[in-house]
Amino acid sequence: MSPARPSFANWPCSIARTVDVLGDAWSILILREAFYGFRRFDEFQQELRMARNTLADRLRRLVEEGLMERRLYESEPPRHEYLLTEKGRDFVPVLAAMARWGDRWLAGEEGAPITFHHDACDHDSHAEVVCSACGEPMRSEGISTRMGPGYPERLRKRPDVQRRFGRF
C-alpha cells in the first residue's frame, strides 16, 4: 500500500495549493473534456478510458472543490451531468497555456494537434502569459518572486524563506 499523498492545501504557495486541488492528471483531463463540452459520466469514461471508480472519485473531488457542478438531468433512474462552474471555466486559460507549452516542446513536425480559436476576433491563436501591468510576455529570465500579502507572517523571517525570496 502506498503512503497517502501529502496535502499542500496550507502551503503559502498558490501553485502548491492548485496541485492539492487537482491532485493528478485525471482531474486536469476531466476539466479539458468538460471544456470540450462533455457532461455525462459515460461520456467522460468513454473519452478518457479510465476506471469508473477513479472517474467517480475525481468528479466528486472536482464538485467538492467547486470546479464542477453536479446536476440531475434524468430522474428515473437518477442520472447526473457535470458542468464547469465559474471556478472551473476560469481554469480554461491554464489548459490553453499547458497546450501552448506542449505544442512547443512535445508536438511533432506536423504541428499542434489542437488549435484554439478565439471567437471574439475569429482567429486561431494560442495562449500567451503576459504581465498584467505592461502586457509584455512573462518569461523565466525576466521574473522574480516576492512574498505577497498572504504570505504567513510567522514564516517571513526564516532563513530558508529569506534565501528563496532574497532580502528586501
Side-chain angles (χ1 to χ4, degrees):
M1 181 182 291
S2 63
R5 182 177 71 82
S7 174
F8 305 113
N10 295 317
W11 282 33
C13 172
S14 293
I15 296 169
R17 291 174 182 172
T18 300
V19 168
D20 194 69
V21 168
L22 297 175
D24 66 348
W26 286 124
S27 297
I28 294 170
L29 293 174
I30 291 168
L31 292 171
R32 179 197 67 182
E33 295 303 312
F35 168 65
Y36 289 165
F38 295 100
R39 296 177 168 194
R40 298 184 177 166
F41 187 95
D42 290 336
E43 292 173 331
F44 290 117
Q45 203 276 323
Q46 182 178 356
E47 292 301 313
L48 295 171
R49 297 183 185 99
M50 62 190 292
R52 295 178 73 79
N53 62 326
T54 303
L55 175 58
D57 179 65
R58 297 317 185 275
L59 285 169
R60 179 192 52 74
R61 174 110 171 133
L62 290 168
V63 168
E64 284 175 0
E65 292 292 343
L67 284 100
M68 299 187 86
E69 171 189 351
R70 183 175 182 238
R71 185 181 300 164
L72 187 70
Y73 72 88
E74 188 174 296
S75 25
E76 288 298 324
R79 295 188 187 268
H80 297 86
E81 61 185 1
Y82 297 86
L83 307 166
L84 290 173
T85 61
E86 179 183 0
K87 187 176 180 180
R89 289 188 303 275
D90 203 35
F91 191 75
V92 171
V94 177
L95 294 172
M98 290 173 71
R100 172 68 170 159
W101 184 89
D103 292 345
R104 179 171 181 194
W105 296 104
L106 306 174
E109 290 181 18
E110 60 280 358
I114 294 171
T115 302
F116 284 78
H117 186 81
H118 188 228
D119 296 336
C121 70
D122 198 30
H123 285 92
D124 288 346
S125 189
H126 62 265
E128 187 72 33
V129 178
V130 299
C131 173
S132 62
C134 71
E136 289 293 315
M138 293 185 71
R139 305 278 183 251
S140 63
E141 58 276 355
I143 298 174
S144 58
T145 58
R146 298 180 182 191
M147 286 182 247
Y151 202 87
E153 191 62 43
R154 65 182 166 70
L155 300 177
R156 289 176 178 267
K157 301 283 188 216
R158 283 185 19 187
D160 58 321
V161 171
Q162 291 294 314
R163 281 191 303 278
R164 172 177 279 170
F165 294 108
R167 300 212 171 240
F168 298 106

